[in-house]
Amino acid sequence: AVLVPIGVAVARHSRGTWLPIGDDALVELRARDVLSWKHLPLLGTWSSASLSAGKDLNHPGPLEFDLLAIPVRLFGGRAGMALGVGLINAVAVVGVAVVAHRLRGATAAVWAMLITAVLTLTMGSTMLTDAWNPHVLILPCLLMLVLVWGVATGDVALLPWLLATASFCLETHLGYAYLAPALCVDAIVGAAVVFRRRWRADAATRPVDVPRLRRVGLVSVATVLVLWIQPIAEQLFGSGQGNMARILTSTGGDEPTLGATMSVRIVGRLVALPPWWSRSTFMTAVPNTSYEPDGVTVSPRGLPGIVPAVLGLALVLAFVAAVGWWAWRRRDRTGTVAVAVALAAVVVALASLGLTPHQMRWLWPVSAFVVLAVVVNLVGVATGARARRLVGPVGLALVALVAVANLPAYVQMAGPESAPRSIGPARALSDQVAAWRPDGAVWLDTRDLRVFEPYSAVVMAALQRGGVDLRVDEPGLVRQLG
């Protein structure tokens, strides 16, 4: 049921008038480069964090390009991009279901799917095929949180999958620079605590399977090395200062930050105050954050005041902690760990907020996981035979209702998808440029283009499809195209 809206969105974009524009067209272009040794991407897209860092930075790695390469080559830019992104989101949905079932059984999996369905409804149908890196990671981030939950309970077989998902999130967007590593550390520490207790309590009757742990460790290390080989190669063998060094030397500078008060107001808006992380709040829960005339102060409009944010967040977190304490009293390890992961994710979120909404889209899956941590505890202790029989069917019915509600086309006005009126002119440009065969290389002059306009990337992608040798000299585009 949760996969159906994704399939419908893929079909709608594959056959309609939709076209990747803006940053989505750049993703298409670089995905097509993956199977070309001469232009093999070693980094992700150019990052708007460059504007505040004072130097050109790329997102750490090209895993999104790698995953989209085969669909784009087989089905073209439009259908290939829609199908590739749809598959990424579908795998994330299936992963959440499988891990939830593995940890808590079928009933918990149903309710995990309900939370996931609501999150896809919040995204809207158009975003289910949106390759823009902040949006393509929303469902994979939820999967990452569920995998952290699994590993922290001691299910170490999930560790390679967690590291792969976290690598995808971190490589694709710098906004995960704190969240993904911190949660992976939490998961490994949780697993270590579980095995330490098991070693002490059950060493004689049920010894820890050390060879299995060693195999999982080797597979995990190999997974990280393989998935990070491209950015590592760029750092070691690229010309000039490598991207990893650029990122590390640009942190902790003089760039403005939101500060503790603003972070609490933003997190409180999504986690604690209605209508929470619903569709209606996607564009308003975190208003566009711009600098004041002094160039330092940031004052987002429309956020709740600090008092309601603090009170709401305190009440919600106290309730979540109480659910965790209740699970701990019942010796429910998976329930207790779910709550611990949810609380840790909120703490990391408070500590690592960025400056613009697209840098903090991970707040939506974090908020969803907080609800999931509570729900899996409550449905797991339904009292009475009749209540236990009803929990699963009620969850299934709600999943079906949310899935049906997500079938009609809906555009969240964020990212490249927020300019649907640009698609018609972009298609006309693309068709004209695709038929052009110049005698030599083409230089793209970008000096008079406005920031984040949607058309130049469409032109570049069309030239690439036609086999035209394209040249750029603007530093950001040089790093974008490799």
Side-chain angles (χ1 to χ4, degrees):
V2 181
L3 293 176
V4 169
I6 298 176
V8 171
V10 169
R12 184 183 292 122
H13 276 178
S14 298
R15 299 181 180 181
T17 60
W18 178 77
L19 184 76
I21 62 174
D23 283 7
D24 286 354
L26 291 174
V27 173
E28 174 201 339
L29 187 154
R30 295 301 274 154
R32 193 176 282 107
D33 279 342
V34 170
L35 300 180
S36 167
W37 178 253
K38 182 179 179 181
H39 301 294
L40 176 68
L42 299 179
L43 300 173
T45 60
W46 176 86
S47 171
S48 58
S50 306
L51 301 177
S52 59
K55 63 178 74 175
D56 284 304
L57 307 171
N58 288 57
H59 294 289
L63 280 182
E64 182 184 11
F65 307 148
D66 297 343
L67 293 175
L68 296 176
I70 293 178
V72 167
R73 280 298 182 112
L74 291 179
F75 302 102
R78 183 179 64 173
M81 289 284 286
L83 177 61
V85 176
L87 286 173
I88 289 172
N89 284 323
V91 168
V93 170
V94 172
V96 170
V98 169
V99 177
H101 186 280
R102 182 182 179 101
L103 296 176
R104 299 286 286 191
T107 300
V110 168
W111 287 85
M113 285 296 93
L114 176 60
I115 303 300
T116 307
V118 174
L119 187 57
T120 62
L121 181 68
T122 294
M123 296 167 65
S125 61
T126 305
M127 200 174 288
L128 295 175
T129 58
D130 186 2
W132 196 39
N133 51 350
H135 294 162
V136 76
L137 296 177
I138 291 177
L139 292 177
C141 180
L142 181 62
L143 173 59
M144 178 179 68
L145 287 159
V146 173
L147 286 165
V148 170
W149 173 30
V151 173
T153 62
D155 192 349
V156 292
L158 298 174
L159 181 59
W161 298 99
L162 167 61
L163 295 176
T165 306
S167 295
F168 174 59
C169 292
L170 179 54
E171 285 196 26
T172 304
H173 201 283
L174 273 170
Y176 288 79
Y178 299 108
L179 185 71
L183 290 178
C184 287
V185 170
D186 287 345
I188 294 170
V189 169
V193 170
V194 169
F195 278 96
R196 183 171 178 269
R197 290 178 177 176
R198 188 178 299 171
W199 191 290
R200 287 182 171 182
D202 304 331
T205 59
R206 193 178 60 178
V208 174
D209 191 347
V210 175
R212 177 171 176 267
L213 290 179
R214 187 181 296 116
R215 287 194 301 270
V216 170
L218 291 174
V219 172
S220 299
V221 171
T223 298
V224 172
L225 289 176
V226 168
L227 295 182
W228 284 88
I229 190 65
Q230 288 158 275
I232 290 173
E234 189 274 342
Q235 175 63 41
L236 295 179
F237 307 112
S239 59
Q241 187 181 33
N243 191 60
M244 289 184 182
R246 285 171 176 257
I247 292 172
L248 292 174
T249 56
S250 68
T251 58
D254 297 328
E255 297 88 0
T257 57
L258 285 177
T261 299
M262 198 68 68
S263 298
V264 170
R265 290 171 65 192
I266 291 173
V267 175
R269 178 69 179 85
L270 280 165
V271 173
L273 301 177
W276 300 285
W277 43 279
S278 64
R279 172 184 283 187
S280 63
T281 65
F282 196 82
M283 293 303 300
T284 60
V286 184
N288 282 317
T289 307
S290 57
Y291 297 127
E292 296 297 327
D294 61 11
V296 176
T297 309
V298 286
S299 303
R301 276 72 175 176
L303 287 175
I306 185 62
V307 173
V310 168
L311 289 178
L313 200 56
L315 288 173
V316 168
L317 295 183
F319 175 72
V320 174
V323 171
W325 176 79
W326 181 44
W328 178 75
R329 287 292 301 271
R330 293 183 289 108
R331 299 184 181 277
D332 178 2
R333 186 173 67 198
T334 57
T336 305
V337 172
V339 168
V341 171
L343 294 175
V346 172
V347 170
V348 176
L350 285 168
S352 61
L353 281 179
L355 289 173
T356 57
H358 76 268
Q359 291 177 324
M360 56 182 78
R361 289 300 181 197
W362 38 262
L363 275 174
W364 275 259
V366 166
S367 303
F369 186 81
V370 171
V371 177
L372 177 60
V374 172
V375 168
V376 295
N377 275 285
L378 297 182
V379 300
V381 293
T383 57
R386 185 175 181 181
R388 285 194 294 271
R389 286 196 302 269
L390 287 176
V391 163
V394 168
L396 285 171
L398 293 173
V399 170
L401 287 173
V402 175
V404 170
N406 204 19
L407 292 178
Y410 182 86
V411 180
Q412 285 284 11
M413 301 302 288
E417 297 290 351
S418 65
R421 294 181 180 179
S422 300
I423 291 179
R427 285 182 62 87
L429 272 174
S430 179
D431 293 342
Q432 293 172 51
V433 173
W436 182 41
R437 294 296 180 269
D439 296 332
V442 171
W443 171 57
L444 185 69
D445 183 358
T446 61
R447 288 173 294 180
D448 295 326
L449 295 179
R450 65 176 174 85
V451 177
F452 305 130
E453 47 74 34
Y455 300 112
S456 61
V458 172
V459 170
M460 288 189 284
L463 289 170
Q464 181 203 41
R465 287 196 298 271
V468 175
D469 188 5
L470 172 68
R471 308 293 176 88
V472 296
D473 61 1
E474 194 275 319
L477 271 180
V478 170
R479 294 191 63 83
Q480 176 68 66
L481 301 185

